[in-house]
Amino acid sequence: MVAVVVALLASVFTPSTTASADLPLDYDIPNGHFYTQTNGSPQESSPKGFRLTDDDGIPFWSEFQRLGSVPVLGYPISRRFLWDGFVSQATQKAIMQWSASEQHVKLVNILDYLSQAGKDDWLSTAKLVPKPISHPSEEGQTWEEIVHSRYQLLEESPAIKFAYFSVPDPIALFGLPTSPPQDMGPVIAVRFQRAVIQQWKVAGPTGKANDITVANAGDLLKEAGLILPKAALIPEGSPLVDTHQAVSSRASLSTVKGLATWYGANFHGRIMRNGAIYNMYDPTTTACNVFPLGSQLKVTSLDTGKSINVRVTDTGAFRPPIIVDLSWAAFAQLADPRLGILNVIVELLPD
């Protein structure tokens, strides 16, 4: 009995996200695809994630696929956001930006931007990224001449040169080289306008010696704390799940008997499933996986006889017999929050 109570009490402090063991890690959605792999939670523990779509006439999903999808660009790490007036979206390895005037998706020169922001020393010492070299001889040269001279920088590393030219459009994806191959300790690396290609001299975090990897330039920008708005980095709810899978089997129920818990300070100020900010002192809100978001519920404690009306504003990583995970203030109107758990009857109220 003690073990059961401890397990149930632990759910009070479980992050308020819907369990997603029954959902795929990523899946097609209308006009695009939804990915959960970079939602910041342990794999398969949350259905939240980021969608890549062609919505609003901006073909981020199509361009993502054209450039090679996840193996080339990594998973999305942001929602859409505005950067200098351009609709943009970040992936682990790139930032896509929509030019309305040209009707074209471009990739941002992330490494050039980091250099302009004064991050070269940090990139070199912490991220094994070479510093860019100057190119004074390019003044007055044609584009073709500049491309040719930059390509000569790759001759010192056949392996990196091969990796660069192995993609269909290396200039579109990586940009031009901005450094020759540099010995950065564990890796030989070449810096490009939008990427860093590394050849590992020793076994690295992603493989063995001589493996070639492309650094996650989008993650570098995120780690540097630049450009990416905090709101854009918050994963969104799953398009497949408006509530826990239990909704499908219990939607016809109007009264459910079970347990009530509460969640408080660890989640105060976070985004709830309905997009609002969670306030633990609001006695009108609850997380629930049995009734849909927006449902009005009457929760009655079988232990104290007290009742409270709440609205479903969130979902949570809990399963029956826990029916509602109340706000701290809502639970406090039924019983002492130190109890942590109550026997309740939950009634679905008419709209």
Side-chain angles (χ1 to χ4, degrees):
M1 179 64 72
V2 171
V4 171
V5 172
V6 169
L8 292 173
L9 290 176
S11 69
V12 175
F13 302 102
T14 302
S16 183
T17 54
T18 305
S20 61
D22 297 332
L23 294 177
L25 288 174
D26 59 86
Y27 44 87
D28 286 332
I29 58 175
N31 222 22
H33 204 78
F34 190 83
Y35 295 93
T36 67
Q37 288 87 342
T38 50
N39 62 19
S41 300
Q43 189 166 295
E44 298 184 349
S45 68
S46 170
K48 295 184 178 182
F50 299 102
R51 67 182 70 208
L52 274 173
T53 70
D54 289 341
D55 291 348
D56 304 317
I58 300 175
F60 282 156
W61 171 235
S62 294
E63 186 67 3
F64 181 78
Q65 294 177 92
R66 185 187 75 81
L67 289 172
S69 191
V70 171
V72 176
L73 295 182
Y75 295 107
I77 60 171
S78 81
R79 308 183 188 200
R80 293 185 177 188
F81 61 95
L82 285 179
W83 181 2
D84 291 337
F86 296 96
V87 178
S88 307
Q89 187 164 7
T91 69
Q92 290 174 303
K93 297 182 184 294
I95 293 183
M96 296 183 289
Q97 197 168 75
W98 172 245
S99 173
S101 61
E102 299 179 29
Q103 291 290 291
H104 181 65
V105 174
K106 299 180 178 180
L107 298 185
V108 173
N109 292 345
I110 294 177
L111 273 297
D112 287 353
Y113 180 83
L114 286 168
S115 185
Q116 294 165 9
K119 296 296 183 179
D120 284 339
D121 287 339
W122 171 71
L123 288 169
S124 177
T125 57
K127 300 301 177 181
L128 307 178
V129 177
K131 294 182 179 180
I133 63 173
S134 60
H135 304 275
S137 63
E138 293 179 354
E139 187 174 348
Q141 289 185 343
T142 65
W143 170 248
E144 290 75 15
E145 291 172 332
I146 291 173
V147 170
H148 178 74
S149 64
R150 294 290 185 96
Y151 281 174
Q152 297 306 304
L153 296 174
L154 301 177
E155 295 302 324
E156 299 177 31
S157 176
I160 291 179
K161 177 182 177 181
F162 179 83
Y164 177 78
F165 286 109
S166 67
V167 300
D169 193 347
I171 290 182
L173 182 61
F174 301 126
L176 291 174
T178 58
S179 81
Q182 294 284 319
D183 189 334
M184 304 301 293
V187 301
I188 303 296
V190 176
R191 177 172 178 154
F192 299 86
Q193 292 173 296
R194 307 182 187 111
V196 182
I197 300 180
Q198 301 163 321
Q199 181 181 17
W200 289 85
K201 295 159 57 180
V202 297
T206 59
K208 56 185 182 298
N210 293 318
D211 276 359
I212 299 291
T213 58
V214 179
N216 290 350
D219 283 340
L220 290 177
L221 193 65
K222 177 181 175 180
E223 191 171 342
L226 301 173
I227 294 302
L228 303 178
K230 290 183 179 179
L233 299 175
I234 299 173
E236 57 187 300
S238 165
L240 290 185
V241 182
D242 287 329
T243 57
H244 187 269
Q245 296 294 333
V247 171
S248 61
S249 62
R250 294 178 173 83
S252 61
L253 298 179
S254 60
T255 302
V256 180
K257 185 177 180 181
L259 300 173
T261 55
W262 63 268
Y263 64 121
N266 287 356
F267 305 99
H268 185 71
R270 293 191 185 183
I271 302 293
M272 295 186 293
R273 184 62 184 278
N274 70 348
I277 302 297
Y278 174 60
N279 178 3
M280 62 181 287
Y281 303 110
D282 182 352
T284 68
T285 66
T286 188
C288 183
N289 296 327
V290 173
F291 299 103
L293 287 172
S295 299
Q296 298 287 338
L297 306 178
K298 180 180 180 181
V299 182
T300 301
S301 169
L302 298 176
D303 301 315
T304 66
K306 296 181 179 179
S307 296
I308 187 172
N309 290 350
V310 293
R311 183 167 62 91
V312 179
T313 55
D314 209 353
T315 55
F318 54 90
R319 298 177 182 270
I322 298 176
I323 307 303
V324 288
D325 197 16
L326 299 165
S327 69
W328 177 89
F331 192 101
Q333 293 200 15
L334 298 178
D336 188 334
R338 288 178 294 181
L339 292 174
I341 195 165
L342 286 174
N343 292 297
V344 293
I345 289 180
V346 179
E347 301 172 69
L348 177 64
L349 300 176
D351 294 334

